Amino acid sequence: MRVLVVEDEQLLADAVATGLRREAMAVDVVYDGEAALERVAVNDYDVVVLDRDLPLVHGDDVCRAVIDTGLPTRILMLTASADVSDRVEGLELGADDYLPKPFAFSELIARVRALGRRAVTALPPVLERAGIRLDPNRREVARNGSPVHLSPKEFAVLEVLMRADGSVVSAEQMLEKAWDENTDPFTNVVRVTVMTLRRKLGEPAVIMTVPGAGYRIGDEA
């Protein structure tokens, strides 16, 4: 899942980004509305965590711009105001969810994951295919009932493949969904991560390489 965090309080923004990355999400961070518009114009995000009171361009205008892209990006709006009317205004702008500050980080994680599931064709909370069971909320993976211990990036790559439900995912799409914008697009990091993931998932291999196209999860365990 790829997330954009837009928050002018830099310590808070960086803390949120760090926490989301620990949950195996690819996260970009910006500190004002103008930078947010630039990122939204060139990247496809599953979820935007958006502070409402931003410098340069107000969060309301960023919200409208995200909606105008026509993409299925979901918006979680943050605000320091606990006033109900502010929450209503945010939702009426088109935000999908609203979280007042201060908030419990566990609640933020749960809301981002719930919105991420809604950013694509509706998927169950737990993903299962070819003998693999992946639970994004618990960060747990098992193959044929046996636990598989993955790094956050390996987990993110497997989640992208599982969400594709057997469809081919290109290396470019993998970089888009599982890595942030600072990753060199010419790196072989996708291939190396897939190789490590294959080894940890064991035999028979369940991640298939489609020559010239990308990778997919097989149909059987």
Side-chain angles (χ1 to χ4, degrees):
M1 184 188 304
R2 189 164 185 182
V3 180
L4 175 64
V5 174
V6 190
E7 167 61 63
D8 64 322
E9 296 180 42
Q10 293 194 20
L11 289 177
L12 175 59
D14 293 343
V16 168
T18 298
L20 293 175
R21 289 175 182 136
R22 287 173 179 164
E23 295 294 318
M25 300 181 198
V27 185
D28 297 333
V29 185
V30 295
Y31 308 112
D32 61 69
E34 188 174 276
L37 293 178
E38 292 173 355
R39 296 304 190 283
V40 169
V42 297
N43 298 318
D44 293 342
Y45 294 99
D46 297 296
V47 179
V48 175
V49 179
L50 177 65
D51 182 38
R52 190 172 184 190
D53 300 312
L54 293 171
L56 301 184
V57 178
H58 196 272
D60 291 358
D61 296 317
V62 175
C63 182
R64 293 187 187 97
V66 172
I67 294 168
D68 287 346
T69 65
L71 297 172
T73 303
R74 302 299 180 179
I75 301 169
L76 173 59
M77 192 168 276
L78 306 177
T79 183
S81 174
D83 192 273
V84 173
S85 63
D86 283 345
R87 301 187 200 183
V88 171
E89 285 179 11
L91 294 172
E92 287 181 342
L93 283 168
D96 298 278
D97 201 356
Y98 210 96
L99 190 61
K101 303 175 187 176
F103 49 80
F105 191 72
S106 58
E107 182 178 7
L108 174 69
I109 290 289
R111 288 175 183 261
V112 169
R113 283 214 173 275
L115 290 175
R117 290 196 298 271
R118 289 162 51 190
V120 294
T121 302
L123 292 170
V126 177
L127 305 174
E128 297 187 68
R129 184 178 178 84
I132 297 174
R133 186 177 191 276
L134 183 146
D135 186 334
N137 294 321
R138 294 179 179 273
R139 289 280 315 285
E140 294 176 349
V141 174
R143 183 173 186 190
N144 297 327
S146 299
V148 180
H149 301 290
L150 303 178
S151 71
K153 194 57 65 180
E154 292 161 355
F155 187 96
V157 167
L158 182 59
E159 184 175 0
V160 171
L161 290 168
M162 292 289 283
R163 287 181 179 276
D165 197 28
S167 297
V168 176
V169 180
S170 70
E172 292 77 12
Q173 290 171 321
M174 196 75 75
L175 281 172
E176 173 88 13
K177 292 296 183 182
W179 277 268
D180 62 31
E181 64 184 0
N182 297 313
T183 303
D184 181 355
F186 300 105
T187 182
N188 66 349
V189 66
V190 172
R191 182 174 61 83
V192 172
T193 304
V194 169
M195 288 174 58
T196 306
L197 186 54
R198 277 194 183 118
R199 178 177 56 78
K200 289 188 176 182
L201 290 172
E203 297 293 338
V206 71
I207 300 178
M208 310 300 177
T209 298
V210 181
Y215 308 93
R216 63 181 291 270
I217 294 288
D219 299 320
E220 298 179 0

